């Protein structure tokens, strides 16, 4: 946040306020949303394990990734994978 703020010449607090006013989300929530959407695509591809996806997305542990994924989607990564396999539809 500091480097982005510095780059644009604004304080971090002001940048956060403007971002939330424009998007309805905090910068961190937006970032989590982007990572969750990427995780959904990777899970649906079925090419990588949860641990590999966790690592690709920069999470410290697969457990924390699973926790964040479930908080965002109300499903565990494995339940999401099963749902995609069953329906063939990405949510």
């Amino acid at each position: 946040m500091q480097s982005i703020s510095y780059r644009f010449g604004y304080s971090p607090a002001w940048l956060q306020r403007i971002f939330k006013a424009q998007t309805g989300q905090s910068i961190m929530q937006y970032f989590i949303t982007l990572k969750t959407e990427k995780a959904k695509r990777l899970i649906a591809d079925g090419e990588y394990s949860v641990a590999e996806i966790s690592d690709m997305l920069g999470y410290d542990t697969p457990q924390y990734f699973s926790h964040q994924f479930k908080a965002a989607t109300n499903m565990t990564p494995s339940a999401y994978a099963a749902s995609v396999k069953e329906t063939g539809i990405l949510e």
Side-chain angles (χ1 to χ4, degrees):
M1 181 57 67
Q2 287 294 111
S3 62
I4 294 170
S5 300
Y6 177 76
R7 182 178 182 105
F8 291 106
Y10 298 111
S11 75
W14 187 85
L15 192 59
Q16 288 175 13
R17 262 195 314 276
I18 295 301
F19 190 91
K20 184 152 188 166
Q22 293 295 313
T23 66
Q25 294 182 313
S26 71
I27 292 171
M28 205 57 201
Q29 185 57 47
Y30 181 76
F31 186 63
I32 290 168
T33 299
L34 290 176
K35 287 171 75 168
T36 300
E37 292 304 314
K38 177 71 174 178
K40 285 179 177 181
R41 289 190 299 276
L42 291 169
I43 290 167
D45 287 346
E47 189 174 333
Y48 303 103
S49 70
V50 170
E52 290 169 322
I53 293 170
S54 169
D55 190 51
M56 283 190 250
L57 295 176
Y59 286 94
D60 290 335
T61 66
Q63 294 79 10
Y64 186 64
F65 163 68
S66 293
H67 174 78
Q68 288 283 302
F69 189 88
K70 185 171 183 180
T73 64
N74 292 320
M75 300 176 119
T76 64
S78 57
Y80 183 78
S83 156
V84 169
K85 239 182 227 180
E86 184 178 302
T87 64
I89 299 171
L90 291 174
E91 292 184 10

